[in-house]
Amino acid sequence: MAQLVETYACSPATERGRGILLAGDPKTDTIAYCTGRSVVIRRLDAPLDAWAYQDHAYPTTVARFSPNGEWVASADASGCVRVWGRYGDRALKAEFRPLSGRVDDLRWSPDGLRIVVSGDGKGKSFVRAFVWDSGSTVGEFDGHSKRVLSCDFKPTRPFRIVTCGEDFLANFYEGPPFKFKHSIRDHSNFVNCIRYSPDGSKFITVSSDKKGLIYDGKTGEKIGELSAEGGHTGSIYAVSWSLDSKQVLTVSADKTAKVWDIMEDASGKLNRTLACPGTGGVDDMLVGCLWQNDHLVTVSLGGTLNVFSASNLDKEPVTFAGHLKTISSLVLFPQSSPRTILSTSYDGVIMRWIQGVGYGGRLMRKNNTQIKCFAAVEEELVTSGYDNKVFRIPLNGDQCGDAESVDVGGQPNALNLAIQKPEFALITTDSGIVLLQNSKVISTTKVNYTITSSSVSPDGTEAVVGAQDGKLRLYSINGDTVTEEAVLEKHRGAITFIHYSPDVSMFASADVNREAVVWDRASREIKLKNMLYHTARINTVAWSPDSRLVATGSLDTCAIVYEIDKPAASRITIKGAHLGGVHGLTFVDNDTLVTAGEDACIRVWKVVQQ
């Protein structure tokens, strides 16, 4: 069996020019956010304690904890709202489709009986409120002509609902059943977020016109605004109140977060501007925030979460981040202490992870090109994108030096470094085998079949090349000459991945037809067969350091671990390791497997032999 020991969660999905929503459960210091088709729930005081709810059929947009903390309501881009149990088997309690388009915001009523949603819809229905166990509607929500970006429930009686959106309006409804009372026309641009104070006495609206306005919670009359002195110089995307209703946190496209004191006369005076660490690029725009107990959380466009301490604003924030797109490869640095793993996603992001700690920083490259193939050793990264170039990048801690690029004459489909002499690399393109010494091409061998994958032995004297026709061809390498030695036939589909075992006595190959094979290197005979337990193509293969276990990761969301000396039937299957498929695998030690995949998360599993 395999048990999950750590999760390095993905970042919240962000969108330029829009705020994003973070939900908090103050009792447990837990936050929730949306990314892809998942809702990620993680603890602020234990970042490795994270898990994802993955039952939505469309990209998720918002999730909220119920007032008692037992339930979560989450919504998606199709207008579907699901209410599910937060603990245990996370059973689905109810499902509705209140809107015909994307849900942009969702709030529970303070008694936990009703839910209000806002977003995009056909006709004039941009807002709906309903009783969540029966789905019956409570009120009419007229008054908006465009998408409604935000909504909120007054947390105290008498109940009110407020909404705001792209028609520059904020609307005020009394109820239940809720009826339109009046519109607020004080903003001159999109009104991005509207929030009641926890005591229900006031609510605040923030807008792309750089203003924050404060209203009476019961009547909806304007009573104050955030001072222009020291104010934001860009669109304000989100706002969050402190628990005592005396302060608010705002975040803006000007890359700053600001803490405001709300005075007796309801005006807002700037208390502090929080500068979030970053490089100053577009990715540092702040798009989401949450004030939870003593934590001030901000989210940047690049998906970085910064957590400040409200009681000590001078303290450096705790930063953590994750990938936003499919993770395509994992590389372990076995010599590092503690163990370090690099992960890449095709959008060009390279993250560093430390076992037992989690996020260890993002590697900044000078040219942030897309990454298709990736290989690395302690001092150097080798990458290729979607052109014909291979980049060799010196690595010093988190700093990448100047990349040297070389054109290999075709788009690479595999990069292989000879671990014992990493200056030597073997690159394959669809039609050729290219040998690199540092950044020079020393030979190119054209072939008359279509190459799909390859691997090179640690000493650089042998290569295995996999082809579209399912055959494996063994080559010996001597200096700059590549000579074909043998052809191995067993696979019935194009080869997707080849990997030598650490003791170099075997290699494993996998194909699109869901089969993996382990070969004995000396005799070229099959060592382990019938590895046919996936239901879709195998994307990746990894070996344990003692060459005793081999793991496969597939498009079918599973990872399977086989023991070399036992029949394939005695496998260990990790079901549903990653929604959308497993794309990266590596062992950190003989019984710890790391997986990564399309859900942009990384998970660490303890493999326990039966």
Side-chain angles (χ1 to χ4, degrees):
M1 53 173 260
Q3 92 205 63
L4 181 63
V5 284
E6 291 177 5
T7 300
Y8 309 150
C10 49
S11 279
T14 58
E15 196 182 331
R16 190 161 179 188
R18 284 227 110 82
I20 69 152
L21 300 169
L22 293 177
D25 173 26
K27 293 192 198 88
T28 56
D29 257 343
T30 305
I31 60 168
Y33 54 79
C34 293
T35 183
R37 283 165 32 211
S38 309
V39 175
V40 175
I41 293 191
R42 65 193 298 176
R43 280 175 46 198
L44 288 174
D45 51 352
L48 296 182
D49 187 354
W51 58 269
Y53 176 82
Q54 303 186 320
D55 289 356
H56 277 275
Y58 292 89
T60 51
T61 53
V62 53
R64 296 272 176 218
F65 297 103
S66 63
N68 66 4
E70 294 294 314
W71 305 98
V72 179
S74 55
D76 64 31
S78 73
C80 171
V81 173
R82 294 173 77 96
V83 179
W84 40 278
R86 177 175 166 192
Y87 300 109
D89 59 1
R90 322 207 211 291
L92 180 67
K93 187 80 175 163
E95 185 173 25
F96 308 103
R97 180 151 292 161
L99 299 181
S100 57
R102 172 191 161 113
V103 175
D104 282 310
D105 200 357
L106 175 157
R107 302 294 277 191
W108 291 81
S109 64
D111 56 12
L113 299 178
R114 303 175 188 87
I115 288 174
V116 60
V117 295
S118 69
D120 218 350
K122 297 190 175 67
K124 287 276 193 270
S125 68
F126 301 108
V127 184
R128 289 280 297 280
F130 55 91
V131 180
W132 74 268
D133 55 1
S134 66
S136 54
T137 307
V138 282
E140 296 289 320
F141 295 88
D142 315 326
H144 279 291
S145 57
K146 287 190 176 153
R147 182 170 169 181
V148 177
L149 299 174
S150 186
C151 60
D152 203 3
F153 244 112
K154 181 163 173 273
T156 53
R157 293 178 185 273
F159 288 156
R160 303 281 185 265
I161 285 177
V162 288
T163 59
C164 64
E166 293 188 351
D167 50 10
F168 306 178
L169 298 181
N171 284 347
F172 190 78
Y173 302 88
E174 290 181 346
F178 292 96
K179 286 191 192 61
F180 173 73
K181 185 78 170 123
H182 62 91
S183 280
I184 296 165
R185 301 173 186 273
D186 297 333
H187 285 290
S188 57
N189 207 326
F190 288 4
V191 190
N192 293 317
C193 191
I194 191 161
R195 290 291 175 257
Y196 262 103
S197 59
D199 65 7
S201 65
K202 310 174 190 65
F203 63 90
I204 182 169
T205 57
V206 294
S207 159
S208 295
D209 64 9
K210 309 174 189 145
K211 284 190 185 143
L213 306 179
I214 297 161
Y215 299 86
D216 182 280
K218 207 162 144 190
T219 63
E221 286 164 24
K222 183 177 167 193
I223 50 174
E225 64 181 285
L226 300 183
S227 150
E229 198 178 318
H232 285 292
T233 56
S235 300
I236 306 177
Y237 288 130
V239 60
S240 185
W241 287 86
S242 63
L243 275 179
D244 61 8
S245 304
K246 291 185 175 157
Q247 291 179 301
V248 295
L249 170 67
T250 57
V251 290
S252 157
D254 65 11
K255 308 184 182 72
T256 64
K258 292 181 188 283
V259 177
W260 306 82
D261 296 329
I262 306 299
M263 307 311 226
E264 291 291 314
D265 63 355
S267 65
K269 184 163 147 273
L270 182 66
N271 174 318
R272 175 72 66 101
T273 297
L274 304 175
C276 294
T279 54
V282 170
D283 273 357
D284 292 334
M285 287 182 177
L286 297 180
V287 292
C289 66
L290 177 68
W291 191 313
Q292 175 152 307
N293 301 336
D294 187 47
H295 302 293
L296 304 183
V297 187
T298 67
V299 183
S300 72
L301 184 64
T304 302
L305 292 124
N306 287 299
V307 184
F308 295 86
S309 163
S311 55
N312 181 6
L313 291 171
D314 295 324
K315 206 164 118 189
E316 281 290 296
V318 177
T319 299
F320 47 92
H323 286 281
L324 291 165
K325 299 275 190 284
T326 302
I327 299 175
S328 48
S329 67
L330 290 176
V331 174
L332 170 75
F333 287 164
Q335 280 76 44
S336 59
S337 175
R339 296 273 167 71
T340 302
I341 297 165
L342 294 188
S343 60
T344 67
S345 49
Y346 72 85
D347 54 358
V349 173
I350 306 174
M351 296 271 187
R352 181 193 293 277
W353 306 93
I354 298 160
Q355 194 186 349
V357 178
Y359 178 69
R362 183 173 165 175
L363 297 191
M364 296 318 238
R365 290 180 299 149
K366 297 203 167 76
N367 51 339
N368 222 4
T369 47
Q370 287 183 315
I371 294 176
K372 185 185 174 206
C373 303
F374 179 77
V377 287
E378 300 271 342
E379 286 84 40
E380 185 180 42
L381 310 177
V382 183
T383 71
S384 71
Y386 291 85
D387 52 10
N388 297 350
K389 292 196 175 74
V390 171
F391 293 89
R392 296 193 82 134
I393 308 163
L395 183 60
N396 185 3
D398 279 350
Q399 297 304 312
C400 296
D402 291 327
E404 293 188 2
S405 70
V406 56
D407 192 314
V408 293
Q411 186 179 315
N413 54 32
L415 301 179
N416 304 283
L417 291 176
I419 293 162
Q420 291 164 17
K421 42 176 196 177
E423 68 281 356
F424 175 81
L426 179 130
I427 320 289
T428 49
T429 63
D430 291 349
S431 60
I433 302 167
V434 181
L435 302 184
L436 286 189
Q437 188 74 28
N438 294 320
S439 291
K440 288 195 185 61
V441 175
I442 52 174
S443 84
T444 302
T445 308
K446 288 285 174 207
V447 296
N448 57 3
Y449 55 91
T450 304
I451 298 176
T452 54
S453 181
S454 59
S455 185
V456 72
S457 63
D459 61 1
T461 60
E462 182 183 77
V464 188
V465 175
Q468 187 74 41
D469 59 13
K471 291 176 185 167
L472 295 168
R473 292 166 173 84
L474 269 72
Y475 290 87
S476 63
I477 301 166
N478 190 353
D480 57 2
T481 45
V482 177
T483 316
E484 186 175 318
E485 298 283 338
V487 179
L488 306 179
E489 297 190 38
K490 169 76 172 84
H491 289 282
R492 295 187 303 272
I495 307 296
T496 54
F497 206 88
I498 306 166
H499 198 348
Y500 277 92
S501 63
D503 65 4
V504 205
S505 68
M506 299 167 280
F507 56 88
S509 54
D511 66 30
V512 296
N513 203 21
R514 68 188 185 85
E515 182 171 20
V517 179
V518 175
W519 306 81
D520 184 282
R521 184 184 172 195
S523 67
R524 297 173 185 164
E525 298 292 320
I526 293 173
K527 176 110 177 181
L528 182 59
K529 55 177 189 276
N530 298 333
M531 299 162 71
L532 274 160
Y533 292 96
H534 285 293
T535 56
R537 64 172 280 163
I538 299 174
N539 294 320
T540 179
V541 175
W543 287 89
S544 62
D546 61 4
S547 303
R548 199 173 46 86
L549 303 177
V550 63
T552 55
S554 161
L555 197 60
D556 65 7
T557 76
C558 300
I560 299 180
V561 182
Y562 300 94
E563 206 168 333
I564 294 301
D565 299 329
K566 288 188 182 165
S570 66
R571 69 207 180 277
I572 294 171
T573 302
I574 304 172
K575 284 194 173 128
H578 296 276
L579 186 72
V582 178
H583 293 277
L585 279 181
T586 186
F587 278 89
V588 283
D589 54 45
N590 291 328
D591 54 3
T592 309
L593 177 68
V594 185
T595 62
E598 194 168 314
D599 59 6
C601 292
I602 296 173
R603 295 190 172 89
V604 182
W605 310 84
K606 205 77 177 159
V607 180
V608 185
Q609 297 301 317
Q610 298 298 325

